[in-house]
Amino acid sequence: MVHTSWVGCCRSSTPSASFHVLSRPNYQCGYQSTIRPVSAAALTANCSDRVAALSRPKHREETPVRKTLYTDGVGRGSVIWEVTDAAKNATCSDRIATLARPRSVSRPSPTGAHRGARRSSDTDAHCTRVRPVSALLAKPRPLHPDYLPPRALHEPVPPRALSAKCTERIEQLSHPRPKTAVQYGPPEWHVSEKAKKYVASERCSDLAIPRCLPRGFRFNRSEPVFPVKEGTKNAFVAPRIAELAQPKERRSNAFEIYDPEAFKVKPAALQAVCPKRINELAQPKKR
């Protein structure tokens, strides 16, 4: 037995609003249908001569024929405008001939000239006139009067140094020191007679007295193990002391740093009104 609620769910729902569908005649054109109907006058209309001329495809010759310049590309039968005889027989000026020349590729010169420098003789002729300011700026800056050039790598040895003779002491110090097996001196050293008969002053005697021990100082026990009292053995720890003796539990930094309300704005901040002074200070500084 089917439940009544299931039968109600299976029924198709009726639309709440009525939809108006435009009724059109169906015109088939191959596998496609027209968007809107075509009138009978448009189907029987004749095109004009201009439309018929534009609808014709461009004529292409099977064999390539040499055409004039104005017919290449677009197939025009005549020039766009007529060229006068004066334009055909005219001669260009020197400036136009100079500008018509192609730009030469810059090549690195052996003298270390700039890669963008002009090398044409015609262009150099225009740069012969140099302004006084440019000539003044082109001069290198003079060196400081106290400047000393760097010395040569090998300094010359004076003749006196070449003919000098060292003394016996310098000759003795120039010999290397012999290395013995034992680099340290003997453990005992000789004490002079004056040091044995020397009498210390009162200041030295005062400084030689050792510092006294503080009050309450106790020396180390003679026995390393000392007895424990019976009361200490039978003592019980109070609950509060046992609670304080427990180590502190520390959570990981992930839980300590995480704040779920970090980006939550308070309702009071949403309804706050900025005072005039703060609004004045918030304006960008005019520079």
Side-chain angles (χ1 to χ4, degrees), residues 133-144:
V133 179
S134 301
L136 180 62
L137 295 175
K139 293 181 179 180
R141 185 178 297 178
L143 299 176
H144 195 269

Side-chain angles (χ1 to χ4, degrees), residues 64-178:
V65 179
R66 182 63 181 175
K67 300 179 181 180
T68 56
L69 296 176
Y70 55 82
T71 58
D72 290 338
V74 296
R76 183 179 293 275
S78 62
V79 293
I80 301 175
W81 57 82
E82 297 294 336
V83 183
T84 60
D85 296 335
K88 294 179 180 179
N89 301 326
T91 56
C92 62
S93 61
D94 298 339
R95 179 59 179 168
I96 296 177
T98 304
L99 296 175
R101 293 177 183 176
R103 184 177 296 178
S104 60
V105 181
S106 60
R107 299 177 181 177
S109 60
T111 57
H114 193 267
R115 59 182 302 179
R118 299 179 180 178
R119 296 177 178 82
S120 178
S121 59
D122 298 336
T123 55
D124 291 342
H126 297 282
C127 301
T128 53
R129 295 170 54 188
V130 182
R131 297 182 303 170
V133 179
S134 301
L136 180 62
L137 295 175
K139 293 181 179 180
R141 185 178 297 178
L143 299 176
H144 195 269
D146 298 337
Y147 172 75
L148 296 177
R151 295 183 179 180
L153 183 61
H154 301 285
E155 296 183 2
V157 183
R160 285 189 175 183
L162 294 174
S163 59
K165 295 182 180 180
C166 59
T167 58
E168 296 180 0
R169 179 58 178 170
I170 296 177
E171 188 72 23
Q172 181 182 0
L173 295 174
S174 63
H175 291 290
R177 188 175 183 180

Side-chain angles (χ1 to χ4, degrees), residues 1 13 23 75 90 92 94 105 108 112 118 131 134 153 173 202 207 229 235 239 242 247 250 266 268 285:
M1 182 176 179
S13 60
S23 60
C92 62
D94 298 339
V105 181
R118 299 179 180 178
R131 297 182 303 170
S134 301
L153 183 61
L173 295 174
E202 296 182 0
L207 295 175
K229 298 180 182 180
R250 299 181 182 272
K266 298 180 181 179
K285 190 175 182 180

